[in-house]
Amino acid sequence: MNDRLRIPQDPDYFHSLGLAAIAFARLEWNAVWCCERLSNGYIQTIERDKKTAGRIARDLESLFQRVQDVTLKAKALPLASRFIDLVDERNGLMHGKPGTSGTGDQRLFRGGREWTIQEIDFFADECVRAASPLNSLL
């Protein structure tokens, strides 16, 4: 019990990670709901087909490609592209490799480079900025 507390903790770092996880989840579910609006029953496929964020992003792009209204399509496709980019960033963060920074703090690393609090906060901000126009489409 409480084994998780054996991990050296940096409350500021963990807070940033938690906000980033929630910001991405909100973005992802805005994308899911856009897919649902374009393909009734889509939401039922998420768990059944074990869809990852990457799969959802590709589905969103595909569904936006089928939109007949040229103006809406031109507005929507860049949103799908941005979501695809943020999925890659999220994967780099949440699938990061744990390690100890030069200052002795526990951090996540991508390609040997530390994810700093500033980078994590920037990522979370980008997720919120990307989610807003998707939500507006709903």
Side-chain angles (χ1 to χ4, degrees), residues 24-89:
F24 182 83
R26 292 171 58 102
L27 166 61
E28 182 176 23
W29 278 91
N30 274 302
V32 167
W33 279 107
C34 284
C35 290
E36 175 68 22
R37 290 280 171 93
L38 293 168
S39 178
N40 191 32
Y42 179 85
I43 204 164
Q44 304 304 319
T45 70
I46 300 298
E47 288 185 29
R48 183 190 72 213
D49 297 345
K50 297 179 173 71
K51 290 188 177 181
T52 63
R55 174 73 186 278
I56 293 165
R58 289 189 304 276
D59 290 349
L60 181 67
E61 184 178 50
S62 176
L63 289 167
F64 280 169
Q65 285 283 357
R66 296 185 211 163
V67 170
Q68 297 296 316
D69 181 309
V70 177
T71 304
L72 179 59
K73 184 177 188 174
K75 182 179 179 180
L77 280 173
L79 303 177
S81 293
R82 185 66 186 129
F83 180 48
I84 290 168
D85 292 342
L86 288 168
V87 167
D88 288 339
E89 282 298 300

Side-chain angles (χ1 to χ4, degrees), residues 112-123:
R113 198 173 59 76
E114 176 185 341
W115 276 94
T116 65
I117 290 174
Q118 294 77 20
E119 290 170 327
I120 296 167
D121 289 347
F122 181 80
F123 168 75

Side-chain angles (χ1 to χ4, degrees), residues 13 17 88-99 107-115:
Y13 195 78
L17 283 170
D88 288 339
E89 282 298 300
R90 189 284 313 252
N91 289 346
L93 176 60
M94 295 300 164
H95 299 297
K97 292 160 186 65
R107 295 290 188 254
L108 294 175
F109 291 80
R110 179 185 199 177
R113 198 173 59 76
E114 176 185 341
W115 276 94

